[in-house]
Protein backbone atom coordinates (compact mmCIF):
# COMPACT_ATOMS: atom_id res chain seq x y z
CA UNK A 1 0.00 0.00 0.00
CA UNK A 2 2.68 2.49 1.01
CA UNK A 3 4.54 1.86 -2.27
CA UNK A 4 1.62 2.59 -4.56
CA UNK A 5 2.57 5.57 -6.78
CA UNK A 6 -0.48 7.83 -6.79
CA UNK A 7 0.30 9.54 -3.47
CA UNK A 8 3.53 10.70 -1.85
CA UNK A 9 4.67 9.20 1.45
CA UNK A 10 4.00 12.49 3.26
CA UNK A 11 0.43 12.51 1.99
CA UNK A 12 0.00 8.90 3.11
CA UNK A 13 1.27 9.79 6.58
CA UNK A 14 -1.25 12.64 6.75
CA UNK A 15 -4.00 10.14 5.94
CA UNK A 16 -2.68 7.72 8.56
CA UNK A 17 -2.44 10.35 11.30
CA UNK A 18 -5.94 11.58 10.49
CA UNK A 19 -7.48 8.11 10.67
CA UNK A 20 -5.69 7.26 13.92
CA UNK A 21 -6.67 10.58 15.50
CA UNK A 22 -10.38 10.42 14.67
CA UNK A 23 -10.53 6.76 15.74
CA UNK A 24 -8.68 7.50 19.01
CA UNK A 25 -5.90 4.96 18.45
CA UNK A 26 -3.47 6.71 20.77
CA UNK A 27 -0.66 4.12 20.81
CA UNK A 28 -0.47 4.02 17.04
CA UNK A 29 -0.86 7.78 16.84
CA UNK A 30 2.30 8.15 18.93
CA UNK A 31 4.23 5.82 16.64
CA UNK A 32 3.10 7.57 13.48
CA UNK A 33 3.90 11.00 14.87
CA UNK A 34 7.50 9.80 14.97
CA UNK A 35 7.16 8.39 11.48
CA UNK A 36 5.84 11.72 10.26
CA UNK A 37 8.96 13.48 11.52
CA UNK A 38 11.12 10.81 9.88
CA UNK A 39 9.37 11.44 6.55
CA UNK A 40 10.07 15.17 6.76
CA UNK A 41 6.72 16.57 7.87
CA UNK A 42 7.33 19.72 9.87
CA UNK A 43 5.91 20.16 13.38
CA UNK A 44 3.58 22.82 11.94
CA UNK A 45 2.25 20.40 9.30
CA UNK A 46 1.76 17.67 11.90
CA UNK A 47 -0.13 19.96 14.27
CA UNK A 48 -2.31 21.21 11.41
CA UNK A 49 -3.22 17.65 10.39
CA UNK A 50 -4.31 16.93 13.96
CA UNK A 51 -6.20 20.20 14.35
CA UNK A 52 -7.98 19.69 11.05
CA UNK A 53 -9.61 16.56 12.45
CA UNK A 54 -11.31 18.43 15.28
CA UNK A 55 -14.54 19.10 13.38
CA UNK A 56 -14.92 15.44 12.40
CA UNK A 57 -14.26 13.46 15.57
CA UNK A 58 -14.63 16.24 18.11
CA UNK A 59 -12.21 18.43 20.03
CA UNK A 60 -11.39 15.92 22.85
CA UNK A 61 -9.85 13.41 20.40
CA UNK A 62 -7.80 16.17 18.80
CA UNK A 63 -6.61 17.52 22.16
CA UNK A 64 -5.45 14.02 23.14
CA UNK A 65 -3.52 13.68 19.88
CA UNK A 66 -1.97 17.13 20.31
CA UNK A 67 -0.84 16.19 23.83
CA UNK A 68 0.85 13.09 22.43
CA UNK A 69 2.46 15.20 19.70
CA UNK A 70 3.87 17.56 22.34
CA UNK A 71 5.45 14.59 24.13
CA UNK A 72 6.91 13.20 20.89
CA UNK A 73 8.34 16.59 19.91
CA UNK A 74 9.97 16.91 23.33
CA UNK A 75 11.38 13.37 23.18
CA UNK A 76 12.82 14.03 19.72
CA UNK A 77 14.17 17.47 20.63
CA UNK A 78 11.93 19.15 18.06
CA UNK A 79 11.06 22.80 18.55
CA UNK A 80 7.49 23.86 17.86
CA UNK A 81 6.26 27.40 18.25
CA UNK A 82 2.51 28.05 17.80
CA UNK A 83 1.76 30.02 14.66
CA UNK A 84 0.50 33.56 14.75
CA UNK A 85 -2.50 32.95 12.53
CA UNK A 86 -5.07 35.72 12.42
CA UNK A 87 -5.36 39.33 13.49
CA UNK A 88 -6.84 39.47 17.00
CA UNK A 89 -8.88 42.49 15.92
CA UNK A 90 -10.81 40.53 13.31
CA UNK A 91 -14.56 40.55 13.72
CA UNK A 92 -16.93 37.59 13.34
CA UNK A 93 -17.97 39.15 10.02
CA UNK A 94 -14.35 38.96 8.84
CA UNK A 95 -14.22 35.27 9.74
CA UNK A 96 -17.58 34.64 8.10
CA UNK A 97 -16.66 36.36 4.83
CA UNK A 98 -13.33 34.57 4.66
CA UNK A 99 -15.08 31.28 5.34
CA UNK A 100 -17.67 31.81 2.61
CA UNK A 101 -14.86 32.60 0.18
CA UNK A 102 -12.88 29.49 1.08
CA UNK A 103 -15.94 27.26 0.81
CA UNK A 104 -16.69 28.59 -2.68
CA UNK A 105 -13.05 28.16 -3.67
CA UNK A 106 -13.18 24.54 -2.55
CA UNK A 107 -16.68 23.44 -3.44
CA UNK A 108 -17.88 26.01 -5.96
CA UNK A 109 -20.95 28.25 -5.63
CA UNK A 110 -23.61 26.90 -3.27
CA UNK A 111 -26.63 25.21 -4.76
CA UNK A 112 -29.78 27.29 -4.95
CA UNK A 113 -32.02 24.23 -4.99
CA UNK A 114 -33.44 22.56 -1.92
CA UNK A 115 -34.71 23.93 1.34
CA UNK A 116 -32.50 26.21 3.39
CA UNK A 117 -32.23 26.35 7.18
CA UNK A 118 -35.66 26.28 8.80
CA UNK A 119 -35.08 27.28 12.41
CA UNK A 120 -33.12 30.14 13.90
CA UNK A 121 -30.82 27.61 15.56
CA UNK A 122 -30.01 26.07 12.17
CA UNK A 123 -29.26 29.49 10.70
CA UNK A 124 -26.97 30.31 13.61
CA UNK A 125 -25.25 26.93 13.30
CA UNK A 126 -24.62 27.62 9.61
CA UNK A 127 -23.12 30.97 10.53
CA UNK A 128 -20.83 29.41 13.15
CA UNK A 129 -19.75 26.75 10.66
CA UNK A 130 -18.82 29.39 8.11
CA UNK A 131 -16.87 31.35 10.71
CA UNK A 132 -14.93 28.64 12.53
CA UNK A 133 -14.87 25.63 10.20
CA UNK A 134 -14.35 27.38 6.88
CA UNK A 135 -13.15 30.78 8.06
CA UNK A 136 -10.63 29.55 10.62
CA UNK A 137 -9.60 25.89 10.26
CA UNK A 138 -9.70 25.74 6.46
CA UNK A 139 -7.76 29.00 6.17
CA UNK A 140 -4.92 28.16 8.54
CA UNK A 141 -1.44 28.11 6.95
CA UNK A 142 0.68 24.97 7.09
CA UNK A 143 -1.35 22.73 4.78
CA UNK A 144 -2.38 23.30 1.19
CA UNK A 145 -6.02 23.15 0.17
CA UNK A 146 -5.55 19.73 -1.52
CA UNK A 147 -3.84 18.43 1.64
CA UNK A 148 -6.76 19.57 3.80
CA UNK A 149 -9.08 17.88 1.32
CA UNK A 150 -7.11 14.63 1.64
CA UNK A 151 -7.28 14.79 5.45
CA UNK A 152 -11.01 15.48 5.34
CA UNK A 153 -11.73 12.54 3.05
CA UNK A 154 -9.60 10.30 5.28
CA UNK A 155 -11.51 11.38 8.40
CA UNK A 156 -14.93 10.94 6.83
CA UNK A 157 -13.97 7.54 5.39
CA UNK A 158 -12.67 6.29 8.74
CA UNK A 159 -15.85 7.44 10.48
CA UNK A 160 -18.19 6.10 7.78
CA UNK A 161 -19.73 9.51 7.06
CA UNK A 162 -20.81 8.87 3.49
CA UNK A 163 -23.35 11.70 3.16
CA UNK A 164 -20.71 14.31 4.02
CA UNK A 165 -18.00 12.53 2.03
CA UNK A 166 -19.86 12.98 -1.27
CA UNK A 167 -19.55 16.77 -1.19
CA UNK A 168 -15.88 16.58 -0.24
CA UNK A 169 -15.16 14.26 -3.17
CA UNK A 170 -16.54 16.99 -5.42
CA UNK A 171 -14.41 19.52 -3.58
CA UNK A 172 -11.30 17.38 -4.02
CA UNK A 173 -11.88 17.18 -7.77
CA UNK A 174 -12.50 20.92 -7.83
CA UNK A 175 -9.08 21.70 -6.30
CA UNK A 176 -7.19 19.45 -8.66
CA UNK A 177 -7.04 16.01 -7.10
CA UNK A 178 -7.55 13.25 -9.67
CA UNK A 179 -9.91 10.30 -9.32
CA UNK A 180 -6.83 8.10 -9.00
CA UNK A 181 -5.52 10.15 -6.08
CA UNK A 182 -8.92 10.16 -4.36
CA UNK A 183 -9.21 6.37 -4.68
CA UNK A 184 -5.73 6.05 -3.18
CA UNK A 185 -6.86 8.06 -0.15
CA UNK A 186 -9.60 5.51 0.42
CA UNK A 187 -7.36 2.50 -0.25
CA UNK A 188 -4.72 3.78 2.15
CA UNK A 189 -7.33 4.13 4.89
CA UNK A 190 -8.27 0.43 4.63
CA UNK A 191 -5.77 -0.81 7.21
CA UNK A 192 -6.87 1.80 9.74
CA UNK A 193 -10.65 1.80 9.41
CA UNK A 194 -11.50 -1.47 7.65
CA UNK A 195 -12.49 -2.70 4.20
CA UNK A 196 -16.26 -1.99 4.35
CA UNK A 197 -15.71 1.75 4.88
CA UNK A 198 -13.17 1.85 2.06
CA UNK A 199 -15.47 0.02 -0.34
CA UNK A 200 -18.35 2.35 0.48
CA UNK A 201 -16.15 5.40 -0.14
CA UNK A 202 -14.90 4.12 -3.51
CA UNK A 203 -18.44 3.31 -4.62
CA UNK A 204 -19.48 6.81 -3.62
CA UNK A 205 -16.82 8.33 -5.87
CA UNK A 206 -18.32 6.69 -8.93
CA UNK A 207 -21.99 7.08 -8.07
CA UNK A 208 -22.27 10.61 -6.63
CA UNK A 209 -23.29 13.33 -9.13
Amino acid sequence: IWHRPALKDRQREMITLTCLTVLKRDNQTRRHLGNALNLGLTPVQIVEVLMHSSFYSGVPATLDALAIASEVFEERGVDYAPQEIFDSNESPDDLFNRGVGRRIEYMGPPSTSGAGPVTQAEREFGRLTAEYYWGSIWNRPGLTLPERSICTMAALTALGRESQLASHIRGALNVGLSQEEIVEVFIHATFYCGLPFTRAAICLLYTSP
Side-chain angles (χ1 to χ4, degrees), residues 41-52:
L41 270 72
T42 68
V44 167
Q45 288 174 315
I46 291 171
V47 167
E48 289 302 320
V49 168
L50 302 182
M51 288 188 64
H52 192 83

Side-chain angles (χ1 to χ4, degrees), residues 54-155:
S54 59
F55 275 88
Y56 307 111
S57 60
V59 171
T62 298
L63 289 177
D64 287 348
L66 287 170
I68 296 170
S70 179
E71 294 172 1
V72 171
F73 292 164
E74 183 175 357
E75 292 165 3
R76 298 280 292 264
V78 174
D79 291 328
Y80 170 73
Q83 299 184 87
E84 293 292 334
I85 304 297
F86 303 126
D87 185 345
S88 61
N89 294 319
E90 282 188 313
S91 69
D93 285 342
D94 294 328
L95 273 177
F96 175 78
N97 292 330
R98 186 168 61 228
V100 169
R102 177 48 58 97
R103 188 184 189 283
I104 291 174
E105 179 185 0
Y106 179 51
M107 290 188 169
S111 173
T112 56
S113 61
V118 176
T119 67
Q120 181 63 24
E122 287 178 283
R123 288 189 284 271
E124 291 174 357
F125 178 69
R127 169 82 187 205
L128 290 171
T129 301
E131 290 176 12
Y132 295 104
Y133 177 64
W134 294 108
S136 180
I137 292 293
W138 275 82
N139 273 279
R140 291 174 60 88
L143 297 179
T144 66
L145 195 51
E147 286 170 343
R148 290 194 179 278
S149 177
I150 285 172
C151 291
T152 300
M153 290 189 293

Side-chain angles (χ1 to χ4, degrees), residues 1-17:
I1 296 294
W2 276 80
H3 283 83
R4 290 172 63 84
L7 296 175
K8 299 175 182 177
D9 284 350
R10 292 183 185 185
Q11 293 171 313
R12 291 188 179 279
E13 190 58 69
M14 290 178 182
I15 295 166
T16 302
L17 281 176

